[in-house]
Amino acid sequence: MFFGQKIHPLNFDRAERFHLDGEAVKLSGPGMALRVGCETVMDGCCRLRFENGQVADSTQYSDAVRPAYRRGAVATPRLEADTARFVTAIGQIELQPTRLRVAMTEVMLETVADGIGCCGEALLLNFALTGVNGCYGLGERAGPLNKLGQTADFLNVDVVAVFRHTYARDDYDPTYVAIPLAILKVGERFLGVFFDNPHRVVMDVGKTRPGEFWYQAFGGVTDLYLLAGPTLREVTRRYAALTGRAPLPPLWALGYHQCRWGYRHEREFRALAEQFAAADVPVSALWYDIDYMDEYRLFSWDRLDFPDPAGLNRELKDAGIHAVTIVDPGVKREPGYPVYDSGREKAVFCQTASGREYVGKVWPGDTVFPDFSLPAARAWWAAYLADFLRDSAVDGVWLDMNDPATGYSRTEEMCFQHGQAPHERYHNQYAHFMALASRAACEQRDPDGRPFLLTRSACAGTQRYTAVWTGDNASNWDHLRMALPCSLNLSLSGIAFNGPDVGGFMDDTNAELLVRWHQACCLFPFFRNHSSRDSRFQEPWQFGPATLAAIRGAIRLRYRLLPYLYQCFFAHWRDGDPVIRPLLYHYDHPEYAHLGDQYLVGDALLVAPILHGEGQGPESIQRGVKYQERRIALPAGWWFDLNHGVWVQGGRVLHYAAAADELPLFARDGAVLPYYAGPLRNSFMHLSAIELHLFCHDQPAQFEYTLDDRETRRYEQGTWGLAQVTAEVREERTTVKIEESGDYPRETVRFTPVVYGHPEVRKLELTVNGRAEERKLRTEQREWLCRNLMVQA
Ligand code: GLC
């Protein structure tokens, strides 16, 4: 029986009194002492620091929070009879020996009686869930969107290794990623509680004891960040500001990626490029899994199978296909292998507590692990990786097995900082520091370019360095369904650039599942088809022409909408809004609190994919064509149905039937979708000509289109501009105004307005930077999934 073990609340010692201790309050009682300090960190965010007297080292070792916010304005406590009071930017915080109460302008958060305790090095905070009807975030998790009634373990693990017999279910816990952020919905308001502690922690959100929300940390210092709402958007933006937003990726990284564990010869890579071309499916990157290496030695190639990797990768790049290689942390423990010898000489590997080199068992056999918590180890790693990327003409880095996975060798003996720092301090941060070092390598290789990295494990803040994929899933419908809430919660937890293995990694996929997976995720931030060497091949053409046609429709749609996706990434970098969002990000409706089977891309597109196969759910046959059916919650207002090319009224639940090649997809009234109408050839896209697809029923449309070079990191210095688009459709006339501003040359993009769903429109009035432009509207077709919709262009 699986319990998800934690410490029973009755095993914690409680304080009986408190006194002032410098700028903090010290709670004490038999067997326990707890120091609590408070600071305002930024507008709408304050930090409560909990230092358990039993924890010998009271340093905060977490790297989650951006340096700018590690020091705040101290709130000095005022002691009254039985209460210490902190006045902060988010409201008043009252502390009693066993109770905490936070009174924010919009909501109240308080612990239950006896809600604060210590048990050895462990800390308990037990909050009352009064009025709470939703809980989101919690990083990467299996299970439903709303985590109320769930339990969560924050310990990075290699899921398939730990849950060998049950990984293919949708209820495993923990996962590869540990981000202890809970976003609580209290009535209609939201507030965020981020428990910054790199040690293993657990949360129980009303599962074991309904009405109670337990936070238990098994060691370390806990910084509790209170993030004010009142909306989900404000909480999410504040958390992103606190821990960092994803830097902009290169445009190619937003395209379609093809990967498989088992591609092992240059022939296969050439064949893949040809097959994609023959199938008329664009692809932006091919991925090298572990088989490219010489007996799994890091920074090496098997020269029999890949005699000239740089030549091969340049050849692929000439066709618009980038190369990404896997890089695991494990270094083969083999005297004479230069990477091992040099790391040993520089003492950059993890050690046991007594100072032996820590040895694990991974792909190369006996393996040692760089200690990424050491700056010297990161520099050593970055130098090797930068050389490898340069010499092999590789553009992207895939960081795997960094949970860290150590095979049959127990992980706990791995210590850090020459055996001096305990394993728990850096376990959940292992991948994070590996990503930091690897990003540095990419920047060394190309100082002005934008790195692309993908990782399996992560902790809070890792989004500053890399994208995340959700690890080894299985080719089944449960895992497809799980992919939506998982990626949505991960997005709310700061990791905006994420996605699952499309098609499923373990086990055999089938034609229908592969199609639905591509449709469901074709507008996810990260879009990669990946499978295990033991499973059936699942490239887009593997299941015949009808399946290929449906998959092609989904992939090509992504490329058509790449300018929009890119804008969503830019908006994330600027403001912290995730790329994909649950409906409750923008719409307030009790049903949306649980809605994990549809999502928004930015604020303009609503995606409601088919998530069940034939014979598993509602379906019908009309004129010989099979349709799968589902409910779609459509928020109030008008929406344009991009399958049928018609406006539908929202504020209701639709019963929708979608054929195999259809993805239910809606554009909001008032939306502007930047669309690429040019030829599709892998990652080659000239975004100097963009169509602005206008969806105006009752609403005028508005959009801020960011202008930048899409390649360099100059945007970080403010080299970008804005094209402010406003549009209105009135009877026969469409009026579009584009005003450019900011630090970027004017009119580098030619915008063409395209009008949907108004056949009576005849006239276009376009003004660009105050100058009227002559444009005639014509009736044309545009590609949407497998259809061509008539538009006025
Ligand atoms: C791990 C990764 C998987 C990869 C495999 C071989 O299982 O999660 O994506 O294909 O290792 O490298």
Side-chain angles (χ1 to χ4, degrees):
M1 170 89 180
F2 177 73
F3 287 106
Q5 282 199 332
K6 28 198 95 79
I7 303 176
H8 195 295
L10 291 175
N11 291 333
F12 284 86
D13 300 315
R14 296 332 198 263
E16 288 172 351
R17 56 194 169 272
F18 62 36
H19 63 272
L20 274 186
D21 179 20
E23 307 260 61
V25 178
K26 197 151 188 186
L27 315 180
S28 49
M32 69 89 78
L34 184 65
R35 195 169 184 274
V36 186
C38 179
E39 288 168 295
T40 293
V41 175
M42 63 165 107
D43 183 36
C45 171
C46 77
R47 165 174 54 225
L48 284 167
R49 173 161 293 186
F50 294 86
E51 291 167 33
N52 181 344
Q54 303 274 346
V55 175
D57 188 341
S58 61
T59 314
Q60 173 57 280
Y61 288 98
S62 167
D63 189 47
V65 167
R66 285 170 56 205
Y69 299 121
R70 291 189 190 170
R71 281 239 165 85
V74 175
T76 313
R78 254 198 357 250
L79 237 52
E80 288 155 20
D82 64 341
T83 306
R85 216 178 291 280
F86 299 95
V87 180
T88 75
I90 60 156
Q92 287 225 359
I93 298 178
E94 291 174 6
L95 185 66
Q96 294 171 343
T98 63
R99 201 173 197 144
L100 174 72
R101 168 195 284 230
V102 183
M104 302 173 36
T105 340
E106 308 280 351
V107 282
M108 170 87 88
L109 178 72
E110 60 184 328
T111 61
V112 299
D114 272 344
I116 306 176
C118 296
C119 176
E121 292 193 13
L123 169 73
L124 167 75
L125 296 172
N126 181 357
F127 294 95
L129 282 170
T130 319
V132 173
N133 53 32
C135 175
Y136 309 94
L138 306 196
E140 177 185 87
R141 304 244 76 92
L145 179 76
N146 189 341
K147 299 299 179 198
L148 194 61
Q150 306 278 316
T151 171
D153 192 344
F154 296 87
L155 177 75
N156 291 354
V157 297
D158 178 354
V159 166
V160 175
V162 173
F163 302 105
R164 193 167 151 225
H165 303 292
T166 54
Y167 73 87
R169 296 190 342 208
D170 56 357
D171 60 352
Y172 54 80
D173 173 44
T175 69
Y176 305 91
V177 173
I179 304 178
L181 162 75
I183 304 177
L184 300 174
K185 180 166 184 278
V186 191
E188 273 136 38
R189 315 213 175 265
F190 293 84
L191 88 127
V193 282
F194 168 46
F195 300 90
D196 189 13
N197 185 336
H199 285 242
R200 182 179 194 171
V201 308
V202 293
M203 287 186 202
D204 187 308
V205 196
K207 182 181 166 103
T208 307
R209 279 203 205 148
E212 294 187 7
F213 169 27
W214 301 349
Y215 162 80
Q216 299 187 353
F218 300 142
V221 172
T222 293
D223 283 338
L224 165 55
Y225 289 86
L226 297 155
L227 301 153
T231 62
L232 178 54
R233 178 174 215 168
E234 275 153 305
V235 174
T236 309
R237 285 181 167 197
R238 286 189 214 287
Y239 175 76
L242 184 70
T243 59
R245 299 179 283 245
L248 281 175
L251 190 66
W252 66 263
L254 302 188
Y256 183 63
H257 300 260
Q258 179 65 52
C259 185
R260 178 175 171 87
W261 178 11
Y263 296 152
R264 55 175 326 117
H265 197 283
E266 62 169 12
R267 261 196 320 270
E268 275 170 287
F269 287 83
R270 292 208 172 94
L272 282 163
E274 281 160 20
Q275 283 158 318
F276 271 101
D280 197 15
V281 173
V283 64
S284 291
L286 294 180
W287 291 54
Y288 295 90
D289 204 323
I290 47 175
D291 299 303
Y292 76 87
M293 289 184 262
D294 174 21
E295 293 181 2
Y296 306 124
R297 288 184 193 91
L298 275 183
F299 311 126
S300 76
W301 288 84
D302 180 332
R303 292 287 171 163
L304 282 180
D305 291 337
F306 298 96
D308 177 17
L312 172 64
N313 291 334
R314 285 199 195 99
E315 187 185 313
L316 291 171
K317 202 148 149 193
D318 288 343
I321 302 173
H322 295 254
V324 183
T325 49
I326 199 168
V327 182
D328 291 344
V331 174
K332 189 174 172 75
R333 185 178 176 278
E334 180 188 48
Y337 162 44
V339 180
Y340 174 70
D341 289 347
S342 107
R344 192 180 160 81
E345 192 197 312
K346 293 206 153 71
V348 296
F349 297 131
C350 291
Q351 296 176 3
T352 63
S354 68
R356 302 179 70 81
E357 232 167 51
Y358 169 84
V359 182
K361 196 95 184 161
V362 205
W363 309 124
D366 286 348
T367 310
V368 295
F369 298 83
D371 179 354
F372 292 108
S373 78
L374 294 171
R378 295 202 290 269
W380 169 86
W381 173 267
Y384 264 106
L385 182 56
D387 284 350
F388 172 74
L389 297 175
R390 190 179 307 113
D391 296 347
S392 315
V394 164
D395 290 323
V397 186
W398 172 18
L399 308 173
D400 188 25
M401 304 295 272
N402 50 2
D403 329 298
T406 49
Y408 72 57
S409 176
R410 257 170 50 107
T411 316
E412 287 78 353
E413 279 65 44
M414 173 196 280
C415 295
F416 297 90
Q417 322 242 314
H418 311 293
Q420 304 299 302
H423 180 74
E424 310 79 64
R425 186 179 294 166
Y426 290 107
H427 177 96
N428 284 344
Q429 300 192 88
Y430 189 82
H432 176 87
F433 285 113
M434 180 190 188
L436 169 61
S438 306
R439 191 171 187 89
C442 298
E443 291 176 1
Q444 268 173 37
R445 182 212 170 174
D446 182 4
D448 202 27
R450 297 181 185 179
F452 169 65
L453 299 101
L454 183 76
T455 183
R456 185 165 80 174
S457 272
C459 62
T462 308
Q463 69 271 13
R464 303 196 293 268
Y465 313 122
T466 172
V468 172
W469 102 101
T470 54
D472 295 347
N473 58 3
S475 297
N476 67 44
W477 292 92
D478 285 334
H479 275 212
L480 168 58
R481 283 188 281 272
M482 181 174 87
L484 273 72
C486 182
S487 278
L488 289 169
N489 275 318
L490 198 49
S491 296
L492 294 175
S493 308
I495 312 269
F497 196 2
N498 79 74
D501 282 344
V502 168
F505 176 72
M506 308 283 282
D507 311 326
D508 290 343
T509 198
N510 60 59
E512 195 188 9
L513 181 60
L514 190 63
V515 168
R516 295 304 188 191
W517 214 311
H518 276 85
Q519 291 171 345
C521 299
C522 69
L523 296 172
F524 265 36
F526 178 61
F527 187 36
R528 182 185 70 159
N529 180 343
H530 180 41
S531 56
S532 164
R533 63 178 170 188
D534 308 317
S535 66
R536 220 196 127 141
F537 281 91
Q538 60 185 42
E539 295 78 8
W541 49 85
Q542 291 292 351
F543 292 87
T547 306
L548 170 61
I551 294 175
R552 180 193 296 124
I555 297 175
R556 288 175 64 96
L557 172 75
R558 181 181 185 86
Y559 280 82
R560 294 281 171 227
L561 287 177
L562 262 193
Y564 177 60
L565 276 173
Y566 183 78
Q567 291 298 318
C568 293
F569 273 82
F570 209 105
H572 169 75
W573 173 76
R574 210 177 65 169
D575 304 320
D577 293 313
V579 175
I580 55 169
R581 310 164 187 179
L583 262 63
L584 80 166
Y585 202 81
H586 292 289
Y587 302 97
D588 182 17
H589 188 288
E591 196 198 337
Y592 301 168
H594 304 279
L595 206 61
D597 64 355
Q598 54 184 84
Y599 63 96
L600 300 167
V601 185
D603 67 2
L605 271 176
L606 187 150
V607 188
I610 297 295
L611 299 170
H612 63 265
E614 271 191 47
Q616 296 172 3
E619 56 190 37
S620 55
I621 297 180
Q622 295 159 37
R623 279 185 242 110
V625 178
K626 193 120 199 202
Y627 290 83
Q628 300 302 319
E629 299 177 356
R630 61 161 291 166
R631 300 170 83 243
I632 300 176
L634 216 50
W638 287 91
W639 294 84
F640 193 79
D641 174 343
L642 286 157
N643 276 308
H644 302 109
V646 293
W647 285 101
V648 288
Q649 193 152 22
R652 65 196 170 114
V653 171
L654 297 186
H655 289 274
Y656 201 96
D661 58 359
E662 287 178 331
L663 165 68
L665 185 64
F666 301 84
R668 166 178 71 77
D669 186 11
V672 178
L673 289 178
Y675 180 103
Y676 174 74
L680 288 182
R681 196 174 155 237
N682 300 334
S683 64
F684 296 127
M685 296 186 103
H686 300 289
L687 299 192
S688 51
I690 292 290
E691 292 189 347
L692 295 173
H693 287 205
L694 307 174
F695 297 88
C696 302
H697 190 277
D698 293 350
Q699 303 291 328
Q702 276 189 23
F703 193 74
E704 280 190 347
Y705 187 97
T706 346
L707 300 151
D708 76 323
D709 64 25
R710 293 180 299 277
E711 269 170 26
T712 73
R713 288 168 49 209
R714 272 165 244 158
Y715 71 96
E716 291 173 2
Q717 267 67 56
T719 309
W720 53 277
L722 273 184
Q724 188 74 47
V725 181
T726 47
E728 208 169 354
V729 180
R730 280 252 171 94
E731 288 151 15
E732 285 203 342
R733 177 187 315 249
T734 300
T735 322
V736 181
K737 235 192 189 165
I738 300 170
E739 273 309 315
E740 294 184 21
S741 60
D743 185 9
Y744 202 71
R746 301 283 180 273
E747 296 180 29
T748 55
V749 178
R750 180 184 159 87
F751 292 109
T752 302
V754 170
V755 187
Y756 278 75
H758 289 278
E760 70 282 7
V761 169
R762 303 271 174 275
K763 214 167 160 208
L764 169 68
E765 281 172 12
L766 173 64
T767 324
V768 180
N769 294 326
R771 193 188 63 244
E773 287 222 348
E774 245 342 281
R775 297 271 183 98
K776 282 229 157 56
L777 271 184
R778 294 179 309 267
T779 302
E780 290 180 9
Q781 294 197 331
R782 285 297 173 272
E783 181 180 4
W784 283 93
L785 290 149
C786 296
R787 328 231 153 297
N788 286 314
L789 291 184
M790 289 305 264
V791 294
Q792 310 283 320

